[in-house]
Amino acid sequence: MVLTRLRDALRSPAVWLIGLGVVCLIRFPVKFALEPPFLMDFEVYRFIGERVLTGDTAHLYAPTTSERMVFKYAPCWAILFAPLGALSSHAGGVLWSALNVLWLTLTGWLADRLCRLLSLRPAPWLAIAAVVLLVRPITAEFLLGQADLLWGVLIAAFLYAEASGRRWLAALWLALAVSLKLPALLFLIYAGCRRRWAPIGRTLVCLAALNLSAAWLLLPAQPLGLFRAWFGALATSGTTYAFDISNQSLLALAGRLLRQDGYGLNVAVLSDATVMLLTAIAQLLAFAALVRPARPALPDRVRLILDGALLTVFVVLFSPSGWLATYTVLLSPVALALALLLARPALTWRTPGLAFPAAALFLLSALTHAKFWRLAGIPHWRGESYVYLVLMILPWLGVCLAWYLWGHRRRAAGWLA
């Protein structure tokens, strides 16, 4: 009887998600409670909270803990982060890491729901497998106190609400995601290219309501000035760090291959402007291929979820500044890719166009760990200890994930539709 109950419990995704949450709580918030951390990015949010609470909102987008650390989110997030300003660095860090555990487990739950909307039967431990594949960026997310898990859960919540027919709720989640990080606008551009004007209108209404009201509350004398400062902060960070060693965007990958940056991986030496142009063309072609009508046609829900997963990957890769922790946003698409693999393993391993990117995903996940490179006898590359950043392992992982999802999208009419 006990074994039967245990077996039944282990078939429930909720049990595995609770277990994942408990492990993460012990590893991060509990440990942080005992050993005060310095969560570099979280300190920016707390600093902004202090500015809101003290009325110093005219300098909302001025540098915070250093010249590089600038608040880059829309005004509504300044209000949402305001309670953090009332906490100490230690207490706030513990709370923020606990919230990140919540975002992580919610994303796992939403990924399971999205798979079920595709009539897949995802393994109950699916979220844990996805976390294992992305454990390096997820660890960085917790240790830096960033907001990428929050961004990822908002995007996953938008897709689930949209696929479930909850239109205004979907618009709210997408508006919050766009307000947090502008690359999420790609979902609206996609909808516009497909002439789906109603979701665009709903999202724009939510965007305006959230941020115009927030700007008026924060700086009633000059609310539009906050938007100018916000765009200025975005423009500065986007151009300054385009080819930084830590940047793991598609643009940075192109720069590693096409610029002389001292790492010896380039196959050509082009100007920065040329690299940016070629990257923009490649991104435009990939996006145009996704927007084109599916052949054969797919049911709306199937296409929404598969295209949504691909767009999530594009949002990460196409962003001019994509850091290690940004790849936590891929948690839901990775879970979907694993569910597709487990549902039809023979289809994957017998099809070269699926087998190669699937195998590459597992290999590239291993290559994100410094221990792998030390065991391989390559602890440094041209004086840089973060070998996986030099070799651009993360953008290659994103490319292979998109390739794998695209392969299933092409074949979806045969078994998902």
Side-chain angles (χ1 to χ4, degrees):
M1 180 68 72
V2 174
L3 290 177
T4 301
R5 289 180 178 177
L6 178 61
R7 186 174 64 250
D8 291 342
L10 292 177
R11 290 174 180 169
S12 169
V15 171
W16 291 88
L17 285 170
I18 291 170
L20 174 64
V22 169
V23 170
C24 290
L25 282 170
I26 295 172
R27 171 63 180 86
F28 297 107
V30 172
K31 183 179 179 181
F32 290 165
L34 300 174
E35 302 173 12
F38 176 71
L39 307 181
M40 183 171 62
D41 288 82
F42 165 73
E43 286 302 312
V44 175
Y45 315 145
R46 194 177 70 85
F47 206 101
I48 292 303
E50 289 181 353
R51 285 180 177 173
V52 172
L53 294 180
T54 59
D56 188 23
T57 52
H59 302 98
L60 203 62
Y61 294 97
T64 56
T65 55
S66 71
E67 285 296 318
R68 181 169 178 167
M69 304 306 290
V70 176
F71 185 65
K72 294 175 287 189
Y73 309 144
C76 70
W77 283 104
I79 290 180
L80 293 172
F81 287 155
L84 300 175
L87 301 174
S88 67
S89 179
H90 186 192
V94 172
L95 173 62
W96 186 253
S97 60
L99 288 173
N100 268 331
V101 173
L102 177 61
W103 312 143
L104 178 69
T105 52
L106 278 176
T107 304
W109 181 82
L110 288 165
D112 177 84
R113 296 292 96 188
L114 286 167
C115 290
R116 293 178 188 278
L117 287 177
L118 285 178
S119 299
L120 297 173
R121 291 185 176 181
W125 40 263
L126 182 69
I128 293 179
V131 167
V132 169
L133 284 177
L134 294 173
V135 68
R136 184 66 190 91
I138 288 172
T139 301
E141 172 82 2
F142 277 100
L143 295 180
L144 294 172
Q146 296 190 330
D148 296 293
L149 279 170
L150 173 58
W151 196 31
V153 77
L154 288 171
I155 291 174
F158 152 68
L159 290 172
Y160 180 62
E162 187 71 20
S164 302
R166 300 167 186 173
R167 308 303 185 196
W168 278 102
L169 188 59
L172 175 62
W173 297 139
L174 183 55
L176 285 169
V178 171
S179 298
L180 190 62
K181 297 194 178 186
L182 276 186
L185 277 172
L186 198 62
F187 287 95
L188 287 182
I189 298 172
Y190 170 85
C193 291
R194 295 196 60 204
R195 299 183 180 181
R196 299 184 68 242
W197 309 118
I200 294 176
R202 286 190 290 266
T203 304
L204 291 178
V205 167
C206 291
L207 268 171
L210 286 170
N211 290 295
L212 289 175
S213 59
W216 181 80
L217 288 171
L218 290 167
L219 197 63
Q222 196 179 9
L224 295 182
L226 284 180
F227 292 98
R228 288 193 294 271
W230 175 35
F231 295 142
L234 290 172
T236 300
S237 63
T239 56
T240 303
Y241 308 113
F243 299 111
D244 188 276
I245 175 62
S246 297
N247 193 355
Q248 298 288 288
S249 66
L250 197 62
L251 173 60
L253 171 60
R256 189 61 38 83
L257 298 175
L258 302 175
R259 294 170 70 250
Q260 179 59 269
D261 58 7
Y263 293 113
L265 299 174
N266 56 299
V267 296
V269 180
L270 304 177
S271 67
D272 290 358
T274 303
V275 172
M276 291 179 181
L277 176 61
L278 291 175
T279 304
I281 291 173
Q283 293 176 169
L284 182 61
L285 290 174
F287 182 74
L290 187 63
V291 169
R292 289 179 58 191
R295 295 287 185 267
L298 296 173
D300 288 344
R301 178 179 289 181
V302 173
R303 182 167 184 185
L304 170 66
I305 295 173
L306 292 177
D307 284 12
L310 279 161
L311 283 168
T312 304
V313 180
F314 288 175
V315 161
V316 173
L317 289 176
F318 293 3
S319 174
S321 300
W323 314 108
L324 171 61
T326 308
Y327 281 78
T328 60
V329 178
L330 298 186
L331 188 59
S332 180
V334 166
L336 176 59
L338 290 173
L340 291 167
L341 172 59
L342 293 171
R344 296 287 295 272
L347 174 63
T348 291
W349 300 123
R350 293 175 184 174
T351 308
L354 292 174
F356 179 82
L361 278 175
F362 293 101
L363 175 61
L364 290 166
S365 173
L367 295 182
T368 60
H369 298 276
K371 289 181 181 178
F372 178 94
W373 297 102
R374 287 196 292 268
L375 290 173
I378 313 175
H380 300 88
W381 187 285
R382 299 282 179 97
E384 178 57 63
S385 59
Y386 292 99
V387 179
Y388 64 93
L389 293 181
V390 176
L391 299 183
M392 308 301 289
I393 299 301
L394 288 159
W396 284 122
L397 184 149
V399 168
C400 288
L401 176 59
W403 181 359
Y404 183 75
L405 291 171
W406 179 263
H408 271 292
R409 180 184 183 271
R410 290 182 57 197
R411 296 165 177 83
W415 65 290
L416 284 176

